[in-house]
Amino acid sequence: MTEPTIIVYDSIMPKLFPIRRPSKLVSAISIKSFSSSPFLYQEQQITTATTKTNENPTNSSSQNLEEQLRKLRILLQQHRTETAKSILGTLIHKNSVSQLYTLFSPSPTKPIFSNLLLSLYSESKLINEAKELYFMIREDKKFPSLSAFNVFLESLNSLRHYKVTLEVFDDVVSWGIRVDRFSYGKAIQSAVKLGDLGKALELLNCMRKDKLSLNEFVYNVVMGGLCKERRVGEARKLFDEMLERRVSPSKVTYNILMDGYCKTGKLEEAFKLREKMKNDNVELNIVTFNTLLSGLCKLGKMEEADCVVEEMKGYGFVPDGFTYSILFDGHSRRDDVSSSLALYEEAVKKGVHMNEYTCSVLLNGLCKKGKTNKAAEILTKLMENGLSPTEVLFNTILSGYCKEGNMEKAYSTIDEMEISGVKPSCITFNTLITKFCELGMMDEAKEWLRKMLEKPVSPNVHTYNILIDGYGRKREFTRCFEILEEMEDNGLKPNVITYGSLINSLCKDGRLLEADVVLNDMISRGVKPNAQVYNMLIDGHCKRGTMSNAFVCFEKMVESDIETTLVTYNTLLNGLCKKGMIKEAEDLVVHILLKGLNPDVIMYNSLLSAYSDAGDTGKCFQMYEKMKTSGIKPTMNTIHPLIRVCKKEKSELVLIDKIVQEMADMDLSPDRVVYNELIHCYALHGEVQKAVAMHIEMVERGIPSDKKTYNSLVMVHLKEGECEEAKNIIDQMKANNIVPNDETYNILIEGHCKLKDFLGAYMWYREMLDNGLLPVANICNELVSGLREEGRLQEAQIICSEMSSKGIEECNTNEDLSAVGRA
């Protein structure tokens, strides 16, 4: 290839390389028209120049190098490249880049020498030297051969210098040098590795414009990047383009696209692609089957997964460790511990090598289901059979014991870990500290922090975050602030989780002023609050009922360019609804819709509750119907306000029956709140059979009765004149250690009064008083009046005297006391 010479360098240098002023140290090098690159010459510029200035080799070594370079020049003139390469291979390890490049005197062979030297550095993975040389070639306004350039790109890419690869590539293209398909491939691969799919697709279009044929490698790289970001539709278009351009997809291509379909849950498309693979005579491999298995197992389709395993065996493939890890994960997702254990036994019998990853998937699945003892037993066996114990495996067991609350076993796991030669890490100690903080055992958490420091293992930001959250739960805010200070003293910068935990605890304790101070401190220290932090503050103000402050916080959130979420709006809406600010709530819903957010079940439930509290049955059921037509499935929190709003009128019992039927149709199991509301509603309107039937259903479902349940049952039996049944309910209530409250006795007294059984009412009154409770004034009046009508003036006088002594003057029988006394 003819070496191009760049005439006007500055005018076409890309802007990504800022111009640097030459220092005195590099005055020997003419860089008048050169713009240096940030990725190539920051420290190297000084190093190179210093080397040139200070080089004082002995005459013999200098003469020896010059002699070697002279030989190289002759060999290159004679086209004996391989011999020259061999000699140069020894020189690159003994001499600096500048020595080799500058001492090779200008001659027609210098470009060949430069290309050979760049290739050698690149192939030897001496990437810093390769970059330095590339810089020097550019300084001379030369360009290496395309083959040497590609070797350089390949080396940069393989050593994960992706950003540098792209910068070098873009720089070269900006010179007007025509690169080839290989160069584009490396640049595209680097862009994908950096997660810059926009750049990768842009380069792909450049290849098309330059009429360079796209090969399988380029397609695979871009498709892989797209599938990783779940952009499977775009990946499929590239696959179809391959077919149109007659680029034969390999098994790698098929597997990439198949994996994309599986990760997005499009299993039908994945299996169609597998069939196409067969039809196109593309060989299936174990990756193909593992990919399909992974898709099935993630959706818990274990029966279909078993069929794929059998088909896999039919093709002659033996399930490997990765296959088993996929299957273990699938059984874990289905909470099927027995199948996981059976699969493990099968793998052991077949002598399948289980690496750390496979083991960790199995052990993690067992620990999640509370089978940590079994997981520990399996780990011991695996270690006996040669598995090298790792921190991850021990931490999995430790985490399992902590979740089960078995702290003694957790301690012994750490002991076993150390005996096995595995050093506990920060994650190990954080697991224990987290558990103690969850249990509110802060002294124990502090003790394990001390042990952690003794090991010595340095606490990380997460450690301090755990402690701040733990002390925050205990409302020990002074300690929280001390830990925050301690954290900074140890050179650790608090993050958004640190401040978020503290703000959350302050908000839950109603200390909103302090929470605002922490927010301002957080911002002043350069930590940007996220949506969750603002949502905590908004929720705190909403719960306190200070809606104006909640909206001030909302405005701050918007001004800070923090994306408001549906959680944000639901919190505000719920706050407005609880305050009975229905008009404002409806206006907010309009704003939410205009923002393009779709209302969810939480939003509908908040509005239903507000309409229910306002007694607006029409709007309640209108909203309920709208919710269903929007495709949102009601929850129990939807049902509660609907039943509450129907209690007032007996005519609305039809709506109650409709709700009960719809609950059954939607497979919604009533909770105790709903059962109590239904029983109370039926009792209120004298529907004895429905109330009793609902209570029987409640008991059969294993939901225990509470005071509200029993009070409603007493009410309904008294409405039917069944005083003995009412008494039996009270006896049953007491037998279940539920103490009757003032509402219970008021129902009993009032019920007996309505049945004209004033003596019975008086007996319940006496029990109520003995239990330190007082009846409400109107029920008391009714009882006194009834007793007086029946001539039980002494009992009436006793009640009036007792009520008067208790300071209850509302009793309207005081005017009759003299008459009672005379009688």
Side-chain angles (χ1 to χ4, degrees):
M1 177 179 174
T2 306
E3 300 297 328
T5 302
I6 308 303
I7 305 300
V8 187
Y9 186 80
D10 283 342
S11 62
I12 61 173
M13 254 324 264
K15 292 180 181 178
L16 62 93
F17 300 123
I19 296 173
R20 290 179 181 271
R21 294 184 181 278
S23 69
K24 291 179 182 178
L25 291 171
V26 293
S27 58
I29 302 175
S30 174
I31 54 172
K32 184 177 179 181
S33 303
F34 172 69
S35 299
S36 82
S37 161
F39 66 87
L40 292 175
Y41 243 75
Q42 308 239 337
E43 296 176 5
Q44 292 171 359
Q45 189 175 17
I46 297 173
T47 304
T48 304
T50 305
T51 304
K52 287 184 181 184
T53 308
N54 297 334
E55 277 171 9
N56 290 307
T58 62
N59 289 335
S60 59
S61 62
S62 179
Q63 287 171 359
N64 182 48
L65 177 58
E66 288 178 4
E67 178 61 24
Q68 293 288 345
L69 292 174
R70 189 184 68 79
K71 286 180 182 178
L72 279 172
R73 193 160 48 250
I74 294 168
L75 287 169
L76 292 174
Q77 284 171 349
Q78 295 173 356
H79 305 292
R80 294 166 64 186
T81 312
E82 286 305 312
T83 308
K85 187 175 180 181
S86 178
I87 294 171
L88 193 55
T90 61
L91 295 177
I92 63 173
H93 297 290
K94 297 176 183 178
N95 302 278
S96 69
V97 178
S98 60
Q99 283 177 316
L100 293 172
Y101 186 74
T102 56
L103 289 177
F104 193 98
S105 58
S107 72
T109 59
K110 184 153 186 178
I112 303 170
F113 170 79
S114 303
N115 291 331
L116 191 60
L117 187 57
L118 182 62
S119 297
L120 270 172
Y121 280 135
S122 299
E123 288 167 358
S124 304
K125 305 300 179 187
L126 298 172
I127 201 64
N128 290 329
E129 287 80 356
K131 288 192 284 188
E132 184 179 351
L133 176 62
Y134 181 73
F135 168 83
M136 296 179 83
I137 294 170
R138 284 179 46 189
E139 187 182 335
D140 284 346
K141 307 216 175 107
K142 299 291 183 181
F143 181 73
S145 69
L146 190 58
S147 60
F149 175 71
N150 281 342
V151 172
F152 179 45
L153 277 188
E154 167 66 25
S155 184
L156 286 168
N157 188 278
S158 65
L159 293 171
R160 301 183 181 182
H161 292 221
Y162 304 125
K163 190 170 184 294
V164 179
T165 306
L166 278 177
E167 288 174 336
V168 168
F169 178 86
D170 286 344
D171 185 34
V172 166
V173 170
S174 72
W175 289 1
I177 305 300
R178 184 173 174 80
V179 293
D180 63 5
R181 187 169 66 181
F182 182 89
S183 316
Y184 269 109
K186 291 297 142 187
I188 289 170
Q189 189 178 25
S190 293
V192 170
K193 291 286 186 183
L194 288 169
D196 191 351
L197 279 176
K199 178 69 175 177
L201 292 169
E202 179 191 321
L203 290 170
L204 204 65
N205 281 329
C206 288
M207 284 186 79
R208 293 183 183 115
K209 287 176 186 175
D210 290 348
K211 296 184 179 177
L212 289 170
S213 60
L214 279 66
N215 59 6
E216 181 212 331
F217 173 79
V218 171
Y219 279 115
N220 286 351
V221 167
V222 180
M223 284 171 62
L226 290 167
C227 287
K228 192 175 179 182
E229 288 197 5
R230 298 176 176 267
R231 294 162 64 175
V232 190
E234 293 171 73
R236 181 62 196 235
K237 285 179 182 176
L238 285 181
F239 180 81
D240 293 338
E241 182 185 303
M242 281 181 82
L243 300 178
E244 287 171 15
R245 291 180 177 236
R246 300 194 178 184
V247 179
S248 298
S250 68
K251 56 190 170 188
V252 174
T253 317
Y254 278 100
N255 289 341
I256 287 168
L257 187 55
M258 208 177 292
D259 186 53
Y261 280 131
C262 287
K263 281 190 170 117
T264 52
K266 297 179 179 178
L267 292 182
E268 188 178 342
E269 292 298 324
F271 277 93
K272 279 182 185 175
L273 197 63
R274 195 269 304 269
E275 290 308 307
K276 178 172 175 55
M277 194 175 178
K278 288 181 186 176
N279 295 335
D280 291 349
N281 294 318
V282 177
E283 182 186 358
L284 281 71
N285 62 4
I286 195 166
V287 175
T288 313
F289 290 103
N290 281 344
T291 300
L292 293 170
L293 281 173
S294 182
L296 290 167
C297 290
K298 278 178 183 173
L299 294 178
K301 298 188 173 186
M302 299 312 295
E303 292 77 14
E304 292 93 326
D306 289 338
C307 293
V308 171
V309 171
E310 290 308 311
E311 185 184 355
M312 177 184 184
K313 291 174 183 176
Y315 272 81
F317 295 112
V318 178
D320 59 7
F322 189 59
T323 312
Y324 279 98
S325 66
I326 293 167
L327 294 169
F328 285 141
D329 182 61
H331 290 309
S332 177
R333 288 171 186 270
R334 291 237 309 220
D335 297 332
D336 191 349
V337 175
S338 58
S339 292
S340 284
L341 291 172
L343 191 64
Y344 162 71
E345 295 297 336
E346 177 192 309
V348 170
K349 285 177 184 176
K350 290 184 177 179
V352 175
H353 173 68
M354 296 177 67
N355 59 19
E356 182 197 349
Y357 175 73
T358 309
C359 294
S360 66
V361 174
L362 169 62
L363 300 180
N364 191 48
L366 293 171
C367 290
K368 275 184 178 177
K369 293 308 294 177
K371 302 287 183 183
T372 310
N373 280 335
K374 186 65 182 175
E377 180 190 318
I378 288 172
L379 178 58
T380 302
K381 284 183 181 177
L382 289 168
M383 285 163 57
E384 287 170 358
N385 291 330
L387 177 73
S388 296
T390 65
E391 179 202 326
V392 171
L393 296 173
F394 276 113
N395 283 344
T396 300
I397 302 297
L398 177 68
S399 178
Y401 280 130
C402 285
K403 282 175 185 172
E404 292 173 18
N406 193 339
M407 303 315 292
E408 290 302 317
K409 286 285 185 74
Y411 303 150
S412 64
T413 300
I414 292 180
D415 292 338
E416 288 173 30
M417 190 174 186
E418 292 183 305
I419 292 166
S420 301
V422 179
K423 185 182 176 184
S425 69
C426 195
I427 294 171
T428 311
F429 288 103
N430 284 351
T431 302
L432 281 164
I433 293 169
T434 298
K435 184 61 182 181
F436 285 123
C437 287
E438 285 174 0
L439 295 171
M441 299 168 69
M442 299 313 297
D443 288 339
E444 286 79 358
K446 185 179 178 181
E447 175 62 18
W448 276 96
L449 178 64
R450 185 188 64 76
K451 289 180 180 180
M452 181 180 187
L453 294 167
E454 282 177 356
K455 284 301 177 180
V457 176
S458 298
N460 59 13
V461 173
H462 184 51
T463 314
Y464 287 108
N465 289 349
I466 295 164
L467 289 166
I468 287 172
D469 185 59
Y471 281 110
R473 288 169 189 257
K474 298 280 285 183
R475 306 297 187 257
E476 295 182 30
F477 296 110
T478 303
R479 183 69 186 121
C480 286
F481 287 108
E482 286 173 355
I483 292 170
L484 195 63
E485 190 176 339
E486 185 182 315
M487 184 178 182
E488 291 176 317
D489 289 343
N490 290 335
L492 294 172
K493 186 180 178 183
N495 59 18
V496 69
I497 297 170
T498 316
Y499 287 107
S501 295
L502 185 51
I503 288 170
N504 187 42
S505 296
L506 289 166
C507 288
K508 284 183 176 177
D509 199 43
R511 301 169 74 158
L512 297 170
L513 185 59
E514 289 164 90
D516 283 329
V517 170
V518 173
L519 175 70
N520 292 331
D521 181 62
M522 174 184 185
I523 295 168
S524 71
R525 290 174 183 270
V527 181
K528 188 175 182 180
N530 57 20
Q532 286 75 20
V533 171
Y534 278 106
N535 289 345
M536 290 169 195
L537 287 159
I538 291 169
D539 184 55
H541 287 297
C542 287
K543 281 177 178 169
R544 181 174 278 189
T546 52
M547 295 308 300
S548 57
N549 289 341
F551 276 95
V552 166
C553 200
F554 173 75
E555 290 301 325
K556 280 185 184 177
M557 186 177 182
V558 173
E559 287 167 8
S560 301
D561 291 327
I562 306 295
E563 185 66 30
T564 50
T565 64
L566 195 57
V567 174
T568 315
Y569 289 107
N570 278 343
T571 304
L572 288 167
L573 187 72
N574 190 47
L576 291 170
C577 289
K578 283 187 174 173
K579 288 277 286 183
M581 302 168 72
I582 297 176
K583 176 65 172 63
E584 291 83 352
E586 289 173 338
D587 290 342
L588 183 60
V589 171
V590 172
H591 177 76
I592 292 167
L593 294 172
L594 288 172
K595 195 171 168 59
L597 295 171
N598 294 318
D600 61 1
V601 67
I602 297 170
M603 193 178 295
Y604 278 107
N605 288 348
S606 294
L607 290 166
L608 280 168
S609 192
Y611 292 136
S612 177
D613 292 341
D616 195 334
T617 309
K619 276 201 172 180
C620 244
F621 277 86
Q622 184 183 345
M623 187 61 64
Y624 175 58
E625 292 303 323
K626 186 177 180 181
M627 177 183 183
K628 290 188 294 182
T629 54
S630 298
I632 296 171
K633 186 181 177 182
T635 64
M636 293 317 300
N637 286 333
T638 312
I639 306 300
H640 297 162
L642 291 173
I643 295 172
R644 281 202 313 273
V645 81
C646 292
K647 287 195 298 189
K648 293 181 181 178
E649 302 294 331
K650 188 167 184 176
S651 59
E652 290 173 348
L653 284 177
V654 177
L655 291 173
I656 293 279
D657 291 339
K658 180 187 174 187
I659 293 167
V660 171
Q661 183 57 51
E662 287 192 0
M663 281 168 64
D665 295 341
M666 291 185 289
D667 288 329
L668 276 177
S669 298
D671 55 13
R672 183 158 60 185
V673 175
V674 166
Y675 275 118
N676 278 342
E677 289 287 354
L678 289 169
I679 292 167
H680 181 69
C681 187
Y682 288 135
L684 203 62
H685 298 297
E687 295 284 343
V688 183
Q689 289 182 344
K690 285 184 178 180
V692 171
M694 199 56 67
H695 181 242
I696 291 169
E697 183 183 310
M698 177 182 178
V699 173
E700 286 175 348
R701 291 202 177 192
I703 300 172
S705 304
D706 61 6
K707 282 180 187 176
K708 187 166 184 178
T709 319
Y710 286 118
N711 288 349
S712 297
L713 291 170
V714 168
M715 181 199 299
V716 77
H717 284 300
L718 287 173
K719 277 181 178 283
E720 287 297 297
E722 298 169 344
C723 296
E724 193 59 35
E725 286 295 329
K727 184 180 181 303
N728 290 339
I729 293 292
I730 297 297
D731 291 340
Q732 186 183 337
M733 184 179 185
K734 291 175 181 176
N736 289 328
N737 295 318
I738 297 174
V739 180
N741 60 7
D742 54 353
E743 185 183 353
T744 314
Y745 288 111
N746 281 323
I747 291 169
L748 285 163
I749 296 166
E750 186 178 28
H752 280 277
C753 285
K754 290 192 184 310
L755 293 170
K756 303 300 180 182
D757 179 10
F758 296 107
L759 183 59
Y762 181 70
M763 297 303 294
W764 287 116
Y765 163 78
R766 295 264 33 110
E767 184 177 314
M768 183 181 191
L769 221 64
D770 291 343
N771 288 327
L773 303 171
L774 296 173
V776 293
N778 65 315
I779 292 175
C780 183
N781 289 339
E782 191 175 351
L783 175 56
V784 170
S785 297
L787 289 169
R788 185 164 54 81
E789 285 175 13
E790 286 189 349
R792 297 180 181 277
L793 302 179
Q794 186 177 357
E795 287 87 346
Q797 183 183 18
I798 291 169
I799 293 173
C800 289
S801 298
E802 286 172 338
M803 291 301 101
S804 180
S805 69
K806 300 289 183 183
I808 299 176
E809 299 296 338
E810 289 88 347
C811 189
N812 63 12
T813 57
N814 285 337
E815 62 189 38
D816 296 322
L817 283 174
S818 57
V820 171
R822 284 195 300 275

